Amino acid sequence: MKRNFEDDKEKMVVVEGSYAVADAVKVCRPNVISAYPITPQTHIVEDLSQFIADGEIPNCEYLNVESEFSAISALVGSSAAGARSYSATTSQGLELMHEVLFNVAGMRLPVVMTVVNRAVSAPINIWNDQQDSISQRDTGWIQLHAEDTQEAADMTAQAFKIAEDPDVMLPVLACMDGFILSHVYEPVILLDEDLVAEYLPPFEPKFKLDPKNPKTFGAFADPHSYTEFRYLQQQAMNKALKTIEDAADEFYDLFGRHYGGLIDTYQTEDADIILMAMGSIVGTIKDVVDKLRAQGVKVGLLKVRSFRPFPAEAIKNAIKGAKVVVALDKNISLGLNEGALFTETKGSLYNTNVNIPIIGFMIGHGGRDIPMSTMEAIVDEAKKVIDSGITVESQFTDLKEELL
Amino acid sequence: MKPLLQAGHRGCAGCCDAIAAKFTLMAAGEDCIVVSPTGCLEVMTTPYPESSWNVPFIHSLFENNAAVASGVEAALKAKGEFGKTKIIAMGGDGATLDIGMRSISGAFERGHDFTYVCIDNEAYMNTGVQRSGATPFAASTTTSPAGKVSFGNIRPKKNMPAIMVAHGSPYVTTTSIGYPKDMIRKVKKAVDVEGPTYVHAHSPCTTGWGFDTSKTIEIAKLAVETCLWPLYEMEDGELTKAKKIKNPKPVEDYLKMQRRFKHLFTMEGGDEMIKKIQALADANIEKFGLQ
């Protein structure tokens, strides 16, 4: 039975993005939270600590560990012992976890971790881009990106649902842009505890560390069997494509909010130019689309929610009618001069019957502001591609020549 | 009772890890969870799809053993399952003194209720006998080899038990696989004491130290009988017990049986190094009141 959502606006409260996420974690009833403070993730773990101090998260242990490496390592133990396990980090902290991330995924432990996206050092920079999580691309974690604070909060519940699905059993990075989402105060609806209980069943893994039924976790696999472990991880990623869509749909049925599953689209049906991006930049792009549509420019937006698994089929279907596609990336693969979304979209279309020019812009590094004027200039470049083909395939945006 | 560490694992003949793990499980009993880092023990006991463990066992990585153990403890507490089940982190000297130092320091500072057993065979044996922070003075390893101008490792062992005492651990003890009753008693005590406890087990490695596979226990005993490895207990920071050695044997008796110290008996100036090693044993006698 669908709820009546008409009263939901009255339930809105103005809170910080970090609080909205921390509150969402709380109502997901984690058993173990393990985290190390790092800007701009700190407000999430502070809020969770206060919930613990006030006795608001029953049956939960909060570990103040001595590093991000131990933060995620502790969750290897807790998740294997059958505990719903959560952490949050960013940037250098996420990079320090790199080795363990492979381990969590390989052991098929459904840990959920919020990444408050931030640039990586050097030079040291605490502001937003997405180089940190993009650099964890091949660790075997599902990676989702939120557009606004409400989605970041709601995505937390979806992340546990996806991760703990018996067909998936993979960890999830739930990403939100640092400061832009984590430190902004916006009206949001905090997740209703009873509805979350209905949405998210208790975590009951098939196998756990249990003296009554001893099992070995983290065994050594030689060339005879290692390949099959990797193959099964990929199979789980394939299954997650549907699970992510289902989790979004089920969430909509209970809560009345939907942000797309693997992707979302805005004004793409008849668009000649499609801009694709992940995270908070999506909001700015919607405004640009509205403005340019009013001027008669047929432009649309493709929002990518799931970076891993990469939704190649969904992206292909969304862009196949366009004349040019522009990928915007808050990251770069140095030495290739391309952002990940650009490279992967381009790669996934090769060998298909969709043959559309794609160009890439790397944008917003280290928290550089992205005004609408920049986006409009990018659309102008896209128009040129329609008229006369690609001249520059991938490039930096808004470079300050005087600093070079 | 079925053996908690099943026979048929892939350890070398005379393997110290297997002996140490066996004694630890005899002390802890079947209601325990074992957490172990990367190393010989994990490799030889868990080649997929086989496992030698008749207790729940988890291996994650090399440097995070104590953190994983603290997560297991937290999970049991959160779910109301903590109480009888003992949590044992068991790892080698490299995983404990070197690369896992941050993790064990954090776990002890946080006060998790678990027991850490360090199986100290004094080098990185799983990768081919490279020097660790536990390698003793003048031992030759593959990365601290004796050579024309070198007597091998130039530094003494890191004093890990003292570091764990400094963390405020209620029970820190040294033991040796050459003394089964001593080790089983101490592990049993460690798992029964509330809070993070530490057992440092001296464990001669036949392959890495270079001695006959039948001599593991004999070598282990000689380390204690020469006072190079004192057996003592520290409770709440105080030395409460140390095994007396009435007539300490000269350190040569221990050194001459091992390939890693062979150069001390062949190189010019080796006798001076042996004197320095004897001085380390004498200092132990003094410090722990072994006589």
Side-chain angles (χ1 to χ4, degrees):
Chain A
M1 192 185 76
K2 292 204 177 183
R3 277 176 61 244
N4 179 2
F5 302 115
E6 285 181 6
D7 298 336
D8 277 359
K9 275 195 175 170
E10 287 171 27
K11 291 183 195 156
M12 280 190 157
V13 289
V14 176
V15 296
E16 194 190 40
S18 292
Y19 183 89
V21 168
D23 187 79
V25 172
K26 177 180 80 173
V27 296
C28 286
R29 291 294 182 90
N31 299 118
V32 177
I33 300 169
S34 174
Y36 187 81
I38 177 169
T39 304
Q41 154 264 36
T42 41
H43 291 183
I44 294 176
V45 296
E46 288 168 4
D47 290 337
L48 286 169
S49 300
Q50 192 64 52
F51 291 146
I52 294 281
D54 292 336
E56 291 183 24
I57 314 182
N59 306 317
C60 182
E61 292 283 315
Y62 184 104
L63 305 186
N64 272 306
V65 287
E66 81 293 342
S67 68
E68 285 90 356
F69 201 94
S70 284
I72 189 66
S73 294
L75 299 187
V76 171
S78 63
S79 186
R84 180 169 287 162
S85 302
Y86 174 83
S87 190
T89 191
T90 175
S91 183
Q92 308 308 127
L94 186 61
E95 308 310 324
L96 184 58
M97 291 178 177
H98 183 67
E99 182 193 7
V100 197
L101 297 183
F102 283 97
N103 199 247
V104 175
M107 291 173 77
R108 308 295 294 275
L109 300 171
V111 171
V112 168
M113 181 157 65
T114 300
V115 174
V116 185
N117 287 110
R118 167 186 148 181
V120 293
S121 184
I124 189 163
N125 174 298
I126 60 166
W127 292 274
N128 167 246
D129 65 32
Q130 295 167 350
Q131 190 70 55
D132 52 357
S133 63
I134 296 296
S135 299
Q136 307 307 328
R137 178 178 62 179
D138 297 333
T139 55
W141 284 57
I142 290 169
Q143 184 171 149
L144 308 176
H145 284 262
E147 171 185 347
D148 56 28
T149 56
Q150 183 73 63
E151 185 180 2
D154 295 352
M155 186 179 273
T156 308
Q158 295 183 14
F160 279 113
K161 178 113 172 155
I162 296 160
E164 295 171 4
D165 185 307
D167 285 338
V168 177
M169 289 297 278
L170 290 173
V172 176
L173 294 179
C175 303
M176 63 191 295
D177 283 335
F179 292 110
I180 300 168
L181 299 186
S182 62
H183 285 53
V184 73
Y185 280 74
E186 278 187 339
V188 296
I189 299 167
L190 298 176
L191 288 175
D192 180 90
E193 192 161 2
D194 294 335
L195 282 179
V196 170
E198 195 177 328
Y199 178 73
L200 184 63
F203 176 45
E204 281 164 5
K206 193 172 171 190
F207 302 109
K208 64 173 185 171
L209 294 168
D210 177 6
K212 290 192 253 345
N213 183 22
K215 299 283 179 198
T216 290
F217 285 67
F220 162 71
D222 66 11
H224 170 73
S225 58
Y226 183 83
T227 304
E228 284 67 28
F229 280 100
R230 301 295 276 172
Y231 178 80
L232 289 170
Q233 274 181 272
Q234 175 54 40
Q235 289 295 97
M237 278 284 182
N238 289 346
K239 287 176 182 165
L241 288 167
K242 182 172 186 305
T243 309
I244 292 165
E245 293 282 3
D246 291 347
D249 291 343
E250 284 178 49
F251 192 89
Y252 177 72
D253 290 343
L254 275 173
F255 297 87
R257 296 189 293 276
H258 193 264
Y259 315 89
L262 297 164
I263 62 164
D264 199 11
T265 56
Y266 183 69
Q267 303 270 27
T268 53
E269 292 77 13
D270 64 338
D272 292 332
I273 300 166
I274 293 180
L275 303 178
M276 60 188 296
M278 301 190 291
S280 62
I281 187 179
V282 161
T284 312
I285 298 175
K286 281 179 181 166
D287 288 343
V288 172
V289 167
D290 289 345
K291 184 178 172 186
L292 294 179
R293 281 270 172 183
Q295 296 168 10
V297 183
K298 287 164 81 175
V299 59
L301 160 72
L302 168 61
K303 162 182 159 179
V304 177
R305 278 187 98 224
S306 173
F307 180 63
R308 278 292 178 277
F310 192 72
E313 196 62 27
I315 290 173
K316 191 181 88 175
N317 288 332
I319 65 175
K320 63 186 175 192
K323 291 179 179 164
V324 61
V325 173
V326 183
L328 302 174
D329 273 290
K330 287 184 173 181
N331 68 88
I332 178 173
S333 176
L334 297 169
L336 183 63
N337 196 38
E338 292 182 2
L341 198 54
F342 173 62
T343 302
E344 306 217 344
T345 302
K346 198 170 56 156
S348 66
L349 292 178
Y350 198 82
N351 291 336
T352 73
N353 55 8
V354 175
N355 187 13
I356 304 170
I358 306 177
I359 54 173
F361 287 87
M362 290 160 291
I363 195 165
H365 295 275
R368 176 76 55 90
D369 194 24
I370 306 169
M372 286 176 70
S373 56
T374 293
M375 219 79 84
E376 289 168 38
I378 286 172
V379 171
D380 286 340
E381 291 298 316
K383 286 179 190 164
K384 288 183 202 164
V385 172
I386 297 174
D387 294 338
S388 51
I390 295 173
T391 50
V392 181
E393 207 185 6
S394 176
Q395 60 190 296
F396 276 81
T397 312
D398 288 345
L399 274 182
K400 293 181 179 173
E401 295 292 339
E402 70 274 19
L403 291 181
L404 299 176
Chain B
M1 192 177 108
K2 68 184 174 189
L4 298 177
L5 183 71
Q6 195 73 45
H9 59 72
R10 300 179 184 191
C12 304
C15 171
C16 59
D17 275 10
I19 297 168
K22 182 179 164 186
F23 292 163
T24 300
L25 290 178
M26 285 170 76
E30 61 185 353
D31 193 0
C32 76
I33 295 173
V34 173
V35 185
S36 190
T38 309
C40 281
L41 183 63
E42 159 264 333
V43 170
M44 75 198 209
T45 57
T46 69
Y48 180 85
E50 299 164 11
S51 174
S52 304
W53 300 89
N54 283 324
V55 293
F57 173 92
I58 181 168
H59 155 253
S60 170
L61 295 166
F62 200 3
E63 67 274 52
N64 65 355
N65 201 38
V68 175
S70 53
V72 172
E73 186 250 32
L76 297 187
K77 278 189 172 164
K79 289 158 67 67
E81 296 166 4
F82 190 75
K84 281 196 241 163
T85 302
K86 310 297 185 190
I87 298 165
I88 294 174
M90 197 170 357
D93 47 292
T96 307
L97 282 69
D98 289 350
I99 199 167
M101 190 72 201
R102 174 170 71 196
S103 156
I104 192 172
S105 176
F108 272 60
E109 173 272 316
R110 292 191 297 276
H112 294 283
D113 193 353
F114 78 119
T115 294
Y116 196 106
V117 178
C118 175
I119 305 172
D120 180 6
N121 55 25
E122 305 192 322
Y124 291 94
M125 298 314 183
N126 191 41
T127 43
V129 201
Q130 293 85 17
R131 179 205 183 272
S132 81
T135 300
F137 175 70
S140 180
T141 73
T142 54
T143 54
S144 64
K148 286 173 188 159
V149 295
S150 172
F151 287 105
N153 182 43
I154 58 170
R155 298 287 302 158
K157 283 171 78 78
K158 184 192 278 190
N159 189 347
M160 190 66 184
I163 294 168
M164 302 326 291
V165 168
H167 279 75
S169 168
Y171 185 64
V172 172
T173 186
T174 60
T175 185
S176 162
I177 61 165
Y179 295 83
K181 280 185 186 168
D182 184 84
M183 181 161 178
I184 292 167
R185 178 181 69 80
K186 286 172 173 173
V187 173
K188 203 171 264 182
K189 187 166 177 180
V191 297
D192 286 340
V193 170
E194 202 180 319
T197 53
Y198 182 78
V199 178
H200 196 121
H202 195 241
S203 306
C205 170
T206 166
T207 318
W209 296 12
F211 57 78
D212 186 84
T213 54
S214 65
K215 304 284 186 193
T216 305
I217 299 301
E218 191 178 329
I219 300 272
K221 282 179 178 291
L222 275 168
V224 174
E225 288 163 354
T226 55
C227 297
L228 280 170
W229 188 251
L231 302 184
Y232 60 88
E233 290 168 85
M234 306 279 289
E235 293 174 67
D236 295 321
E238 298 295 325
L239 180 69
T240 52
K241 210 171 182 181
K243 180 178 171 61
K244 301 282 183 192
I245 307 295
K246 279 181 188 151
N247 299 302
K249 292 180 177 170
V251 295
E252 284 94 332
D253 288 8
Y254 174 66
L255 303 175
K256 70 187 178 193
M257 292 183 71
Q258 305 174 47
R259 185 186 60 229
R260 63 178 178 158
F261 294 116
K262 191 179 171 190
H263 57 289
L264 301 182
F265 299 94
T266 57
M267 284 172 69
E268 193 177 328
D271 50 345
E272 286 302 313
M273 306 308 282
I274 292 172
K275 276 183 195 163
K276 286 182 182 175
I277 295 170
Q278 185 61 59
L280 293 172
D282 294 345
N284 281 335
I285 293 169
E286 180 79 16
K287 183 175 177 184
F288 296 101
L290 300 182
Q291 279 189 306

